[in-house]
Each structure stands twice: as C-alpha cells, then as structure tokens.
Amino acid sequence: GDSVTQMEGPVTLSEEAFLTINCTYTATGYPSLFWYVQYPGEGLQLLLKATKADDKGSNKGFEATYRKETTSFHLEKGSVQVSDSAVYFCALSDMGTYKYIFGTGTRLKVLA
Amino acid sequence: EAGVTQFPSHSVIEKGQTVTLRCDPISGHDNLYWYRRVMGKEIKFLLHFVKESKQDESGMPNNRFLAERTGGTYSTLKVQPAELEDSGVYFCASSQGLAGQETQYFGPGTRLLVL
C-alpha cells in the first residue's frame, strides 16, 4: 500500500541555518503531496502542497518540489527562525479513497 | 470563516469508561475525516464521511469505536469502553471537493489519555 517515509528527528538548528527535511513516498498512481506543520499547542496547518510531478509548493519561505523520478518531496528553507520550531508532517492523498497517509513527523527545534 | 473545531481539547478517563469526541467541520464541507496519532507515531486515518454517509471506515481499529455524523453536519467519535492503547491525539479534518487533489483542513485535535 501507499506509504510516506520521513527523516527521523529531532532536528536542531541554529537560527538562519539551512533546513532540509527529507520525505519519500510509495504510491500507485499520482498522488498529491503535502507538508503540514504543527506548532506547539496548536493543530495541523497546511504549509504547502503540490499536485503533479515537477510542481513546486512554497509558503513562508519553505519550498518542496514533487519529484516523481525519485518519489520525493523534500522540505527546504534557506534561513530558519526560532518561530519555525514545530513538528512537520509529510503526507500524500490516496487517489482512490481521498484519505491522507502521513509520515511520522519531524520535530524541528531552532535555537537563537 | 470559522475553521474546524473539536471538543474537548483534552480528556482524561479511566480504562473502561466511555468518551465522546466532537468535530464541527467548516461550513459547507461535505467531507469529514477522523485521524489519530498514537504515542508520537504517524497520523493514521480512521474514517471518512461524505455528508452523513460513511465512505470509508477501513481505519477504525475495532468495534469499540463508533463514529456518527448527524444530518451531515457535526460528527462524533465514541470510544466505549476505552482501553489504554486508545490514548493519543484525535484529529478531525474537512474538505469540500471529491478529487484526490483536495486540501483537508484540520482541527486542533483532542488529546485523549486513558489511565
């Protein structure tokens, strides 16, 4: 079945460092791909998405490109801030049933 | 526009008791989903409503879990009787479209602790 694999956390970075959180997927067909973020004490918020191969999603300085050839959707940000500290979830949508399949989440901690 | 809301935000109960979680989706969203994250693992799908009908309940762990969506509006998820392994965060999400490219909007979650 479909699955999503994320890099293990936690990831600890200094402010203004470059961020990459790896995400790879296994799916039949061509799912849409998403990154959600959960800030401390809050719910899940959509960060960005891509619906077809080579699409790039971007928001708040974060970017991710839908790579069909490597089945990846890595999240990147050029310069992280303390306020980016959160748990990041990669997800895909199952084309047949519409449910989301999530990765395990990656906790990011940014130090001032 | 109000987002997805969930009640309660936290619940602590003893093993064997009953708990009912509620979700109010975004107005006009026909699709409503329940998910669960247990002990820091991945968020897992439980079930999907389209209006008042259960479209997919393949993720429901066992018959101690009962979900309803009265009149196609809010939904409840009842756990009876609760077991220790039911502890986790229960998320509700809603969406408008039917295609696989839809965006699901999530609520803040209900944190359930079974002692």
Side-chain angles (χ1 to χ4, degrees):
Chain A
D2 295 356
S3 66
V4 173
T5 302
Q6 279 183 245
M7 62 187 289
E8 291 286 333
V11 174
T12 303
L13 296 173
S14 298
E15 204 165 27
E16 298 183 4
F18 184 86
L19 168 71
T20 299
I21 301 178
N22 290 336
C23 172
T24 57
Y25 68 91
T26 302
T28 54
Y30 304 96
S32 294
L33 301 174
F34 305 84
W35 277 101
Y36 279 81
V37 59
Q38 185 178 24
Y39 298 104
E42 300 185 14
L44 288 171
Q45 300 176 24
L46 177 67
L47 182 60
L48 53 84
K49 71 176 188 179
T51 58
K52 60 183 187 296
D54 300 325
D55 267 3
K56 177 186 284 188
S58 61
N59 186 24
K60 299 181 181 180
F62 291 89
E63 292 183 342
T65 301
Y66 190 145
R67 301 286 188 199
K68 183 172 177 291
E69 64 276 12
T70 55
T71 62
S72 65
F73 193 54
H74 303 322
L75 182 69
E76 297 182 335
K77 186 175 186 182
S79 176
V80 294
Q81 305 300 312
V82 172
S83 57
D84 294 325
S85 298
V87 181
Y88 292 81
F89 294 92
C90 184
L92 64 81
S93 66
D94 184 300
M95 291 297 290
T97 63
Y98 317 126
K99 66 185 180 186
Y100 279 14
I101 295 168
F102 284 88
T104 52
T106 303
R107 181 175 298 278
L108 170 66
K109 184 173 182 179
V110 181
L111 305 176
Chain B
E1 180 182 292
V4 177
T5 57
Q6 294 186 243
F7 182 83
S9 58
H10 295 78
S11 181
V12 181
I13 61 173
E14 294 188 351
K15 176 182 172 181
Q17 290 185 321
T18 298
V19 63
T20 300
L21 314 181
R22 173 171 170 144
C23 169
D24 286 80
I26 293 172
S27 178
H29 281 193
D30 288 340
N31 296 288
L32 188 148
Y33 305 81
W34 284 97
Y35 293 84
R36 177 175 73 169
R37 188 182 192 211
V38 174
M39 289 195 60
K41 297 187 177 179
E42 70 269 30
I43 300 169
K44 285 194 172 180
F45 168 82
L46 296 178
L47 87 159
H48 170 205
F49 284 99
V50 177
K51 297 184 180 179
E52 68 276 8
S53 300
K54 292 177 185 175
Q55 186 76 13
D56 179 0
E57 51 184 331
S58 61
M60 295 288 265
N62 51 60
N63 59 9
R64 295 185 294 103
F65 289 75
L66 175 64
E68 294 179 325
R69 190 178 183 194
T70 306
T73 55
Y74 71 91
S75 174
T76 58
L77 180 64
K78 180 191 291 187
V79 184
Q80 179 182 30
E83 299 289 345
L84 300 180
E85 63 265 25
D86 300 332
S87 297
V89 181
Y90 290 76
F91 291 102
C92 175
S94 72
S95 70
Q96 195 166 31
L98 291 178
Q101 297 179 357
E102 62 182 13
T103 295
Q104 295 181 20
Y105 296 89
F106 283 76
T110 293
R111 283 162 175 74
L112 175 64
L113 178 61
V114 183
L115 302 176

